[in-house]
Structures are given as C-alpha cells and as structure tokens.
Amino acid sequence: MMFSNIRKCETDINVILDEPLTSDSCTKLIIEFIKYVLYQKQQIPFTYDSLVHLQAKTKKSDRNSLFIKTLLNSLTNVSDHLSSELLFKDCKVKEIVIIVGPTIVSPKLQITLELPTQILDSLCHTKCKHSSQKPLLNLMRSMMECKEFQDAMTLPLGPTNTFFLLQKSDNNSLSNFFLPKPNYIPSIQTSQSFRIKLLHNNQLDIDCNCTNLVKVYRELANTNFKDDSIMQCKEQSNEQIVQAPFRWYQSREVIKGFKYVR
C-alpha cells in the first residue's frame, strides 16, 4: 500500500497524435520538448533560438560563449544519436526519461516520455508527409492543459544538471553514446514526476504513399539508390526480429545549467 501511495506522485499526461511519427519527427519532437523544459526550469538564460543568435554575435573571449557553445553541441549530439537509435530496425525505444537535478537518483524534476509502439522509418517516408509540427502542437496543448505540469514549470530552480536516459530493446548491446545502466530504477521519491504518453489516435491510418514518393525523388535526383532499398521499406514491417529484453541506457551528455554573466 505504501508503494501505491508514493506512485501517485507521478502525473500522467496523454497526448493524442493525429498522425504517425517517423524517427526524424519523433527526434524533433523530443528535442523541442527538451529545449522548452530547459528554458522553463531556468537551466538556460534565454530560449534556445535566442542563444543561437547570441552565440553568433558573442566574442570567443566572452565567458558566456563557452557555456552557450557547450549547450548547443550537447543538444546536437543528443539529437543525432537519438535519431540513430530510433532509426535502427533492430532497436526499439520504449521510453525516454529527462531528469533535472544533481544526480539521476535525486531528481528535482523527472519527466518520462512514453513513445508510440510504432515509429516509421524516416528513410522510407518524406518529411513533407510526416512533419513534426502537428505532433508538437498536440504535445504543447496537452502540457498547457495540465495544471500540475504548468505549476512544476513555474517553480524556481537554480542551475543544475539535466540527464537523459532511455529504455530500449537493442540486439546491439554496444554503444558509444548511450551507456548501459543495468541497475537504474526510475525514482518515485520526487513530487515533480510526470509521464507523458504519446498515443496514436484510434482512427489513425499509417498507410501512405511515401514509398512511391521516395522512389520518384531518388530517380529525379539521379542518385544511385537501387530498387532493392525501396523493397526493403515495403518488407521492413514484415520482418520477424527477435527482440532483446528492454534495458536502461544513459546518455554521455549531461547538460549543465548556467546563467548569463553580464
């Protein structure tokens, strides 16, 4: 009974998606969400876009320049490696945990992103057909409608660390970026814990003509892609892959919050 009472600290937020996510659009969605959390929790002094513009005008000798450059590089690394994880057909990512706090076992804020069971391969689907814009709007709307989440975002928090962990089934256990964390158990001790569930609409139709569009694009671009690659897109969903058990992995990148020094 004690465990049940503690578990109630985690607030569920359901996000209904009107269209399927691809590995690219899912990555974009997650990274934009991370930027939002970093700014709202005062881990970065300005919005991400403002920091990009500021970095372009800041002298290298300015001590703010190093902080901004480190942040931009860290988010780029997380984005690139997360995109690869979602793209690998032998890898299935179940959920991603964002932890803001001194350590992963002492979170001040913990947010779990529960991914859809099916994420489309970006190599077989076009960005124009599967943009991240609508899913991102659905996510933001659901967050705005959750009073508990908005209250958590407005609570002041000094500069600290932001960690990224993911739970995945991966036949390739070796990774240079997401490192195995076999003993990790998500904390249930923090009062600021949220589980955001990215759910497909029951009426969602994942069939599309992207495979044909990709083929036409490659032919027009005079690329050397063979028809075999198109067939792989069609047959990918029919392949029987023996899944490895789900395990926890932690990103090498840890974002350190900072304030702007005038």
Side-chain angles (χ1 to χ4, degrees), residues 60-146:
K60 291 184 178 180
S61 58
D62 190 317
R63 48 184 168 175
N64 292 299
S65 178
L66 178 60
F67 293 132
I68 299 174
K69 182 179 179 181
T70 301
L71 168 75
L72 301 183
N73 289 340
S74 294
L75 280 176
T76 298
N77 284 336
V78 172
S79 177
D80 290 345
H81 286 88
L82 179 59
S83 178
S84 297
E85 295 287 341
L86 294 173
L87 188 60
F88 291 146
K89 64 180 180 180
D90 291 344
C91 174
K92 181 175 179 58
V93 180
K94 183 178 181 181
E95 56 189 20
I96 295 169
V97 177
I98 302 166
I99 294 175
V100 183
T103 68
I104 62 173
V105 296
S106 57
K108 298 297 183 182
L109 172 68
Q110 178 174 287
I111 304 173
T112 301
L113 285 168
E114 196 173 298
L115 304 188
T117 55
Q118 184 174 5
I119 295 178
L120 303 179
D121 187 340
S122 292
L123 295 180
C124 306
H125 297 267
T126 62
K127 289 184 179 180
C128 62
K129 285 284 187 178
H130 302 283
S131 169
S132 62
Q133 186 173 4
K134 283 185 65 178
L136 183 58
L137 288 174
N138 290 341
L139 172 60
M140 296 302 294
R141 185 183 301 113
S142 298
M143 290 190 304
M144 294 299 178
E145 292 174 351
C146 179

Side-chain angles (χ1 to χ4, degrees), residues 37-44 154-159 258-259:
V37 171
L38 289 174
Y39 178 64
Q40 293 297 323
K41 294 304 295 180
Q42 302 172 1
Q43 297 308 298
I44 54 178
T154 56
L155 283 177
L157 179 64
F258 66 95
K259 291 186 177 295

Side-chain angles (χ1 to χ4, degrees), residues 33-50:
F33 176 72
I34 291 172
K35 294 174 185 177
Y36 171 82
V37 171
L38 289 174
Y39 178 64
Q40 293 297 323
K41 294 304 295 180
Q42 302 172 1
Q43 297 308 298
I44 54 178
F46 308 109
T47 64
Y48 177 85
D49 290 340
S50 297

Side-chain angles (χ1 to χ4, degrees), residues 74 78 163-166 177-179 249-254:
S74 294
V78 172
F163 304 89
F164 308 103
L165 296 100
L166 55 82
F177 188 80
F178 288 102
L179 306 179
Y249 296 78
Q250 181 178 343
S251 163
R252 278 186 179 274
E253 290 286 357
V254 177

